[in-house]
């Protein structure tokens, strides 16, 4: 809870901070990486820095938190905080690092806003920062403790047991445990962070959703190769595709991720994905099939065509193993199909299928796709709280706060 002294100051300065928050975030990262270049080795994703998406996500999250403190103090943005905390934990962020971020963020605020930052203004934003930081530190401590790890033991080495070509530009990696320490099974919908050494000597982290249920002895994830088309090719996906092979060691985190399946509610579940957004859906279906679930489950999937539909063999097998599951597919380029189910041509249109009543929804795919499906669901009366989504990058959408 913000102090009575800081509340009016934050209320009065939110518009000016909001207006300059992108500049503040950019200035912050410049200072952060100059004073702490080690953070660019294995911790921060330089692809997101180059695109500016992480700067926007940080700025948006601080603005959302400060706004909630003054407008709805009893209702902080929980989903947003959970998403950040899981991402942090998957990168082994430590409580002590919050001091470093604080110093560089406050320096950036002072530099960008200049004279507007009186001692009272600085003190009030300092309070906002630490309220958010302690909330995150607290959640992150719980996440580490639930997995019996510390930030120092989040990273483990695994060995590539299989590398499976799914489509022209998608491969699946199956890793096996080579570490003596016990690791827990993943939860349905979670991801791991892969940390790979790059040719320039620095390590780079990237998140990949687990695409199959596991018992802790194996981890499976599925990677789409990113072509730059005018920009640089995606560096980690290209490296994983071209240089990592069976027998190689890979460093990955223990699994994290706030968007997980709640299969205790007994409600029907609808998964809607597009393209490589199929990966967490495959993971969730695999968990449900392994558990012998009798829930009503519906997978809606959109892709370019049949050849680009990754993991389709595994998914069809899991749908067949489930007693009450169905799949509906849309191909944008051609409806030619050898799947044993009907295929629609064109983009996904949820009005073409009969959705179960009182279902909970999971979405994953490009943000415009998720935007469209979420809007269509809300228009049909689905409550926003019943729609969860996973973004394959910093979450700039923050749909829960629209
Ligand atoms: C929770 C989560 C789960 C995910 N799950 C999966 C999954 O299951 N499967 C999967 O394939 N991916 C998944 N991703 C995405 C994955 O983490 C990577 O983002 C993806 O593989 C691309 O990484 P990269 O290193 O190949 O590309 P990067 O090198 O990070 O590049 C990303 C983009 O930035 C552009 N870019 C890079 N440098 C510049 C520059 N200087 N100027 C302009 N543009 C530039 C590139 O052209 C490219 O389009 C997930 C992400 C998250 C957050
Ligand atoms: C109050 C303080 C902080 C806030 C508000 C904050 C906010 C965020 C947000 C919004 C994201 C993006 C989440 C997503 O949508 O995926 C993120 C990711 C991240 N944060 Fe923080 N963070 C804070 C502290 C820290 C600290 C102390 C560190 C450690 C150096 C850190 C390192 C990272 C890293 C490495 C990422 C992933 C970046 C990427 O993938 O591009 N953060 N943080």
């Amino acid at each position: 809870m913000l102090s009575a002294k800081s509340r009016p100051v934050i209320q009065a300065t939110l518009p000016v901070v909001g207006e300059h928050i992108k500049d503040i975030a950019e200035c912050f990262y410049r200072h952060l990486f100059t004073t702490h270049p080690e953070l660019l080795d294995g911790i921060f994703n330089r692809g997101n820095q180059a695109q500016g998406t992480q700067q926007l996500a940080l700025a948006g999250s601080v603005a959302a938190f400060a706004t909630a403190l003054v407008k709805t103090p009893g209702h902080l943005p929980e989903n947003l905080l959970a998403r950040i905390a899981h991402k942090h934990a998957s990168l082994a962020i430590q409580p002590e690092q919050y001091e470093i971020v604080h110093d560089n963020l406050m320096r950036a605020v002072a530099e960008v806003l200049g004279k507007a930052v009186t001692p009272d203004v600085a003190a009030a934003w300092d309070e906002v920062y630490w309220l958010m930081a302690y909330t995150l530190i607290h959640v992150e401590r719980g996440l580490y403790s639930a997995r019996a790890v510390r930030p120092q033991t989040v990273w483990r080495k695994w060995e590539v047991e299989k590398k499976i070509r799914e489509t022209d530009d998608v491969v699946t990696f199956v890793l096996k445990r080579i570490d003596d320490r016990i690791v827990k099974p993943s939860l349905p919908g979670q991801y791991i962070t892969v940390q790979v050494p790059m040719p320039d000597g620095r390590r780079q982290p990237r998140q990949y959703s687990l695409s199959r249920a596991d018992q802790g002895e194996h981890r499976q994830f599925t990677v789409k190769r990113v072509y730059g088309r005018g920009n640089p090719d995606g560096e980690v996906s290209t490296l994983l595709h071209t240089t990592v092979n069976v027998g190689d060691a890979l460093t990955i985190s223990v699994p994290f991720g706030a968007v997980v399946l709640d299969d205790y509610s007994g409600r029907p579940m609808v998964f809607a994905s597009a393209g490589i957004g199929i990966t967490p859906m495959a993971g969730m279906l695999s968990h449900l099939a392994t558990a012998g679930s009798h829930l009503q489950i519906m997978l809606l999937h959109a892709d370019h065509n049949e050849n680009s539909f990754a993991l389709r063999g595994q998914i069809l097998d899991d749908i067949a193993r489930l007693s009450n599951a169905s799949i509906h597919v849309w191909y944008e380029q051609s409806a030619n199909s050898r799947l044993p189910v009907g295929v629609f041509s064109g983009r996904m249109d949820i009005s073409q299928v009969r959705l179960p009543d009182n279902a909970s929804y999971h979405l994953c795919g490009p943000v415009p796709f998720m935007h469209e499906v979420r809007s269509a669901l809300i228009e049909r009366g689905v409550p926003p709280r019943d729609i969860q989504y996973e973004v394959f990058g910093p979450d700039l959408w923050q749909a829960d706060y629209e």
Side-chain angles (χ1 to χ4, degrees):
M1 182 75 99
L2 206 50
S3 68
K5 184 170 178 230
S6 295
R7 203 161 185 274
V9 183
I10 296 300
Q11 212 149 11
T13 51
L14 248 176
V16 62
V17 170
E19 207 177 297
H20 293 92
I21 199 135
K22 199 168 155 270
D23 298 337
I24 294 171
E26 281 167 11
C27 181
F28 156 70
Y29 278 113
R30 244 190 343 268
H31 288 312
L32 184 72
F33 295 139
T34 309
T35 52
H36 290 275
E38 74 281 3
L39 293 176
L40 280 170
D41 182 11
I43 300 181
F44 276 92
N45 171 331
R46 59 190 180 194
N48 290 342
Q49 291 293 322
Q51 291 184 298
T53 44
Q54 174 56 25
Q55 291 87 325
L56 289 175
L58 176 88
S61 74
V62 175
F65 188 80
T67 306
L69 281 176
V70 292
K71 292 205 174 138
T72 53
H75 181 70
L76 294 179
E78 271 170 40
N79 289 356
L80 171 67
L81 291 163
R83 180 180 165 94
I84 300 172
H86 278 267
K87 180 70 82 66
H88 282 170
S90 85
L91 289 153
I93 300 304
Q94 308 182 20
E96 306 79 62
Q97 290 171 317
Y98 278 83
E99 198 76 56
I100 301 172
V101 165
H102 166 267
D103 295 351
N104 287 285
L105 193 57
M106 296 316 283
R107 182 174 165 194
V109 169
E111 215 167 288
V112 172
L113 299 185
K115 289 200 183 95
V117 186
T118 61
D120 279 354
V121 170
W125 280 96
D126 202 72
E127 193 181 332
V128 169
Y129 176 84
W130 283 115
L131 280 172
M132 191 167 187
Y134 283 129
T135 311
L136 287 170
I137 290 170
H138 174 74
V139 180
E140 286 156 28
R141 190 171 292 134
L143 295 178
Y144 291 134
S145 142
R147 288 157 185 79
V149 293
R150 291 171 287 117
Q152 294 77 8
T153 55
V154 161
W155 300 112
R156 307 277 165 96
K157 275 205 175 2
W158 293 64
E159 187 180 302
V160 179
E161 187 177 77
K162 289 186 202 154
K163 182 178 182 183
I164 304 159
R165 177 150 296 283
E166 299 281 349
T167 70
D168 284 351
D169 53 10
V170 177
V171 288
T172 287
F173 291 92
V174 180
L175 309 187
K176 73 169 182 221
R177 183 160 77 92
I178 49 172
D179 191 306
D180 285 343
R181 291 171 293 184
I182 299 296
V183 284
K184 295 197 173 174
S186 58
L187 298 178
Q190 290 195 308
Y191 57 81
I192 42 93
T193 296
V194 175
Q195 195 192 54
V196 285
M198 303 309 295
D200 66 359
R202 286 195 164 157
R203 291 165 300 168
Q204 273 296 289
R206 296 290 184 272
Q207 287 70 41
Y208 293 102
S209 300
L210 291 162
S211 54
R212 195 191 274 271
D214 62 66
Q215 289 308 316
E217 289 300 312
H218 290 88
R219 302 279 193 230
Q220 174 181 307
F221 61 93
T222 302
V223 181
K224 178 173 176 163
R225 184 168 177 177
V226 174
Y227 291 98
R229 309 192 196 289
N231 289 317
D233 284 344
E235 57 174 345
V236 172
S237 62
T238 304
L239 186 130
L240 289 170
H241 270 250
T242 57
T243 69
V244 175
N245 290 308
V246 171
D248 290 345
L250 267 185
T251 299
I252 63 168
S253 71
V254 296
F256 290 96
V259 183
V260 292
L261 202 62
D262 167 19
D263 52 350
Y264 298 111
S265 67
R267 294 167 63 188
M269 281 177 203
V270 179
F271 304 130
S273 55
I276 195 62
I278 191 66
T279 55
M281 311 311 184
M284 291 191 275
L285 276 173
S286 166
H287 274 272
L288 289 162
T290 307
S293 172
H294 294 291
L295 291 178
Q296 185 180 357
I297 294 151
M298 186 182 268
L299 172 66
L300 313 177
H301 181 70
D303 227 305
H304 294 299
N305 54 48
E306 189 133 313
N307 290 336
S308 64
F309 181 178
L311 294 161
R312 58 186 186 277
Q314 175 188 317
I315 281 165
L316 289 173
D317 287 350
D318 283 338
I319 297 269
R321 281 162 71 201
L322 285 157
S323 62
N324 195 4
S326 60
I327 171 170
H328 302 275
V329 178
W330 284 258
Y331 291 145
E332 208 169 336
Q333 286 171 352
S334 145
N336 285 343
S337 171
R338 283 189 293 173
L339 301 185
V341 294
V343 167
F344 297 106
S345 72
R347 294 157 71 85
M348 184 183 292
D349 173 0
I350 58 165
S351 70
Q352 291 175 290
V353 294
R354 174 155 161 47
L355 297 171
D357 293 335
N358 190 31
S360 71
Y361 290 83
H362 283 260
L363 316 184
C364 190
V367 171
F369 160 82
M370 294 197 287
H371 212 285
E372 219 169 279
V373 174
R374 185 173 181 274
S375 300
L377 290 172
I378 289 173
E379 221 160 85
R380 289 171 149 229
V382 176
R385 67 167 181 277
D386 289 342
I387 310 172
Q388 298 194 68
Y389 65 94
E390 187 67 271
V391 181
F392 280 2
D395 184 5
L396 305 182
W397 182 19
Q398 298 182 2
D400 298 341
Y401 310 102
E402 273 177 349

